[in-house]
Amino acid sequence: MLKVSLLHTKEFIQKYICKSGETIEQLSQNEWQIQKWTARTFKTMGNVLAEEQYDQSPVEEIKGLKLKPHSRRNSLPLSEKIIQEGLYKGWIIQEIRFKKDGRTPADSVYRMGPGLFIYERLRSEKVDLEDRELKQILLKELENSKGTLPNDFLNKISEFTMETIDSESWGKERVRKFYHFLIAYLRLRRRKSRMEFKEIGATYYKKVGGSKAFDSYQDVFIDRLEKWLNAPAYELGIISFGSIVPVFFTGNLHGRSSRYSLGTVHATTDIAIAGELFHTNAKNLWLVENRAVLTRMAVEVDFLETSQSFVLGVDGQIRGAHRKMIKQLCLNSSIEKAFIWVDYDKAGQIIARDIAHLAEETPYLIVGNLGHLFSSHEEYVKSLSETQPAEQEMTLGGPEEWRKWIEK
């Protein structure tokens, strides 16, 4: 059903179709002429096929084109029937430009019409309103959750709601889904101190399939929670994800109920780290991105023992378990210096930055390409801009070189 326009078709064509100095004149109910007047001349620049009245409820095929006001399409992947319906209902328009003679068609393109434009504008306004309401709901849940969760963690969520551009470059749809996840989690956490991951969606949506609502986002959502907490999500009461995160290391390590010694590569889990209070008698902490470096250093038992070194693998993705263990080792042990050893590329820069932040209370050095050492992340990044990206294994070295690094 055609509706009276909220934006006049002539106004729409003038704003989005006409070029500088051009005007529009209506020839009939669905045809408009693009004109250009000067002090001495008048030229017909082209015609536009567009209905004077339009419908604001485009069909899915038209929505799927994802047209913008300045989009131009020589053809459309639609049936002739849909195209004609789109022209008749003002969802699309056809722009025909003439050659210099003002009569011969030079090219013809399809453009967004005023009906689709108004639909997208109203939809955007509706989404913005819903997002504002969603934000207010989350802020209310935060207020209700005080005393249930650590204040620093709740403050991180509050800071997240204030962001105009997501700090991790998430798209709007993922951010919106994360809002729902946080609301669901906070509500459930006030009722239960322990929960399965799937319970969060199931109790929030209360319908068949609700338990799977957040499955495709599980890794990125949990990673962000752990980053805010600097600990495994287990400490937030989320006890099962269908997987266990391993943490690999070599060196002397002691906990309340566990003890590891030099001589091989050991592994613990995120669940164990959440309940343990680990410490080491080592003085030098090596935080390495690749397992190849970890295993190479693990066989050098004499070096590890005489240099009093402990080596922890962060696997290229610092999970909550890694974060908590690094913090524990730096705060509860005899660590005097940390060595951050990652790949010499963009991803390595990010990992090095995050590790440096975690070990900020401990003097640290970042191992650069060719064995150069840097005492700040800024110096390290600057050095990478002058070299080619490389993997840390390329400068793996051995005990003799490692000892020189320790002595610097």
Side-chain angles (χ1 to χ4, degrees):
M1 178 179 178
L2 298 182
K3 299 180 181 179
V4 177
S5 59
L6 300 177
L7 172 69
H8 198 281
T9 299
K10 182 176 182 178
E11 181 186 350
F12 179 83
I13 297 173
Q14 186 71 55
K15 184 173 183 179
Y16 295 108
I17 306 299
C18 290
K19 299 176 183 178
S20 178
E22 294 179 344
T23 58
I24 196 75
E25 184 69 30
Q26 187 170 8
L27 301 179
S28 66
Q29 183 176 322
N30 68 340
E31 188 172 4
W32 309 74
Q33 188 178 79
I34 304 174
Q35 303 173 345
K36 189 167 186 178
W37 294 81
T38 66
R40 292 186 173 183
T41 62
F42 161 77
K43 289 184 179 180
T44 300
M45 309 304 294
N47 280 3
V48 177
L49 302 182
E51 289 289 339
E52 185 176 16
Q53 293 182 316
Y54 51 82
D55 178 78
Q56 301 161 31
S57 302
V59 294
E60 292 300 322
E61 292 89 340
I62 296 292
K63 297 176 191 175
L65 296 173
K66 299 187 181 301
L67 293 174
K68 302 297 180 184
H70 297 291
S71 298
R72 291 176 171 82
R73 302 282 181 86
N74 292 322
S75 62
L76 300 175
L78 303 173
S79 68
E80 186 61 26
K81 180 181 178 181
I82 294 293
I83 291 176
Q84 291 305 314
E85 183 183 7
L87 288 168
Y88 175 68
K89 294 186 176 181
W91 304 330
I92 56 176
I93 61 179
Q94 190 172 12
E95 176 189 3
I96 303 166
R97 286 284 173 170
F98 295 154
K99 294 183 179 180
K100 290 183 179 180
D101 62 15
R103 297 185 304 274
T104 308
D107 61 71
S108 174
V109 295
Y110 292 100
R111 307 281 297 269
M112 169 186 264
L116 179 60
F117 176 82
I118 292 296
Y119 164 79
E120 293 289 358
R121 190 178 73 180
L122 293 176
R123 185 182 68 86
S124 178
E125 291 174 355
K126 180 183 178 183
V127 169
D128 287 345
L129 176 61
E130 291 173 347
D131 286 347
R132 290 195 295 272
E133 291 175 345
L134 197 61
K135 176 180 176 179
Q136 292 306 312
I137 293 172
L138 178 54
L139 289 173
K140 183 178 179 180
E141 295 300 331
L142 280 177
E143 186 67 26
N144 293 337
S145 297
K146 288 182 177 179
T148 305
L149 292 159
N151 287 333
D152 286 347
F153 176 73
L154 295 177
N155 288 338
K156 290 291 186 182
I157 299 179
S158 181
E159 291 170 9
F160 165 71
T161 67
M162 298 297 113
E163 293 178 350
T164 54
I165 299 177
D166 185 67
S167 59
E168 297 195 15
S169 301
W170 285 5
K172 288 185 177 180
E173 190 58 38
R174 181 181 290 186
V175 169
R176 194 172 295 118
K177 196 73 172 179
F178 193 45
Y179 264 86
H180 285 288
F181 175 79
L182 290 171
I183 292 168
Y185 164 72
L186 292 173
R187 286 177 178 173
L188 186 58
R189 181 63 178 79
R190 291 199 300 273
R191 290 168 40 202
K192 302 177 65 173
S193 60
R194 294 286 183 267
M195 68 192 74
E196 299 284 326
F197 180 83
K198 287 183 177 293
E199 284 185 85
I200 300 172
T203 56
Y204 183 63
Y205 289 105
K206 296 182 175 65
K207 64 180 182 180
V208 176
S211 64
K212 301 177 182 178
F214 302 118
D215 281 3
S216 59
Y217 299 96
Q218 177 177 309
D219 289 344
V220 291
F221 284 3
I222 293 302
D223 182 59
R224 195 154 191 173
L225 294 183
E226 292 182 336
K227 189 176 294 185
W228 287 345
L229 188 67
N230 274 332
Y234 188 89
E235 292 194 10
L236 294 172
I238 308 175
I239 61 173
S240 174
F241 314 101
S243 61
I244 298 175
V245 178
V247 177
F248 300 98
F249 60 92
T250 185
N252 291 310
L253 185 71
H254 309 290
R256 294 190 184 97
S257 58
S258 55
R259 182 179 294 269
Y260 303 90
S261 302
L262 287 168
T264 187
V265 173
H266 300 289
T268 185
T269 68
D270 55 335
I271 297 174
I273 292 172
E276 274 283 22
L277 181 61
F278 283 121
H279 64 275
T280 178
N281 58 9
K283 292 184 178 180
N284 295 298
L285 174 63
W286 299 78
L287 303 167
V288 301
E289 178 181 355
N290 295 332
R291 292 182 187 178
V293 178
L294 172 63
T295 55
R296 173 68 182 87
M297 298 185 79
V299 299
E300 301 293 346
V301 179
D302 180 66
F303 164 77
L304 295 175
E305 185 172 17
T306 57
S307 67
Q308 294 182 273
S309 289
F310 181 91
V311 188
L312 176 66
V314 298
D315 288 344
Q317 184 180 13
I318 312 175
R319 304 302 298 265
H322 298 107
R323 293 174 183 278
K324 182 168 185 180
M325 180 172 273
I326 292 171
K327 295 294 284 187
Q328 284 189 352
L329 294 178
C330 289
L331 294 175
N332 304 323
S333 303
S334 53
I335 298 296
E336 297 177 356
K337 187 185 295 184
F339 293 86
I340 302 170
W341 196 354
V342 297
D343 284 339
Y344 317 116
D345 57 14
K346 282 287 186 182
Q349 292 180 32
I350 296 172
I351 296 170
R353 179 199 64 198
D354 288 348
I355 296 176
H357 177 71
L358 291 168
E360 61 185 353
E361 296 180 27
T362 301
Y364 67 83
L365 292 172
I366 302 177
V367 181
N369 204 354
L370 304 178
H372 297 302
L373 301 177
F374 303 91
S375 58
S376 75
H377 183 256
E378 291 75 16
E379 292 177 358
Y380 174 68
V381 171
K382 182 179 179 182
S383 75
L384 293 183
S385 65
E386 301 168 355
T387 60
Q388 291 294 320
E391 295 180 324
Q392 60 186 126
E393 291 92 340
M394 291 180 63
T395 53
L396 195 53
E400 184 176 343
E401 187 168 12
W402 303 338
R403 290 184 195 278
K404 291 180 181 178
W405 295 349
I406 292 174
E407 292 167 1
K408 285 187 179 180

